[in-house]
Amino acid sequence: QVQLVESGGGLVQAGGSLRLSCAASGRTFNISPMGWFRQAPGKEREFVAAINWNGGNSVYADSVKGRFTISRDNAKNTVYLEMNSLKPEDTAVYYCATAPAGRGIRTVEKEYDYWGQGTQVTVSS
């Protein structure tokens, strides 16, 4: 059974930083694309960042480009999202997701088949 467990969310002031972690189990993690999505109150879930199977390629939403960094440690079955220069509009529940094994990057929600429970990030102004 595939499980994804996010951690690292919390309350931070605008301009601050947080590092989210997502620990995966039940799948051959080191051949699976991974991604982060977020959902703000009253809004649809949206793509944030994605990384390919070996960490050699990543893609970001325009709204977070230059501020967020996705990375992975395949030895620890963990993917990270480093978030800097946080803004109030980054407030959301952040979800990590895993896609079936493959060499590409997945940016579309329906391409992911397992999701974590989410972690709340709140940025105060």
Side-chain angles (χ1 to χ4, degrees), residues 1-2 5 12 18 21 23 28 38 42 45-47 55 61 74 77-78 89 97 99-100 109-110 113 122:
Q1 182 177 355
V2 177
V5 180
V12 64
L18 282 175
S21 299
T28 308
R38 68 186 181 187
R45 188 156 57 185
E46 64 176 3
F47 169 76
N74 284 348
N77 285 1
T78 301
E89 51 264 43
E109 190 172 330
K110 66 181 181 181
D113 55 355
T122 303

Side-chain angles (χ1 to χ4, degrees), residues 9-23:
L11 173 64
V12 64
Q13 287 189 330
S17 299
L18 282 175
R19 188 194 198 201
L20 305 184
S21 299
C22 173

Side-chain angles (χ1 to χ4, degrees), residues 12-84:
V12 64
Q13 287 189 330
S17 299
L18 282 175
R19 188 194 198 201
L20 305 184
S21 299
C22 173
S25 62
R27 165 171 277 176
T28 308
F29 178 79
N30 61 2
I31 57 173
S32 299
M34 300 291 295
W36 287 95
F37 291 74
R38 68 186 181 187
Q39 187 168 21
K43 294 188 177 182
E44 298 285 319
R45 188 156 57 185
E46 64 176 3
F47 169 76
V48 175
I51 192 165
N52 73 330
W53 67 282
N54 67 355
N57 199 4
S58 57
V59 174
Y60 299 90
D62 287 343
S63 58
V64 306
K65 204 172 294 183
R67 300 188 297 121
F68 290 12
T69 302
I70 188 172
S71 61
R72 65 191 297 163
D73 185 339
N74 284 348
K76 296 182 178 179
N77 285 1
T78 301
V79 63
Y80 305 98
L81 186 67
E82 184 76 34
M83 306 185 295
N84 299 314

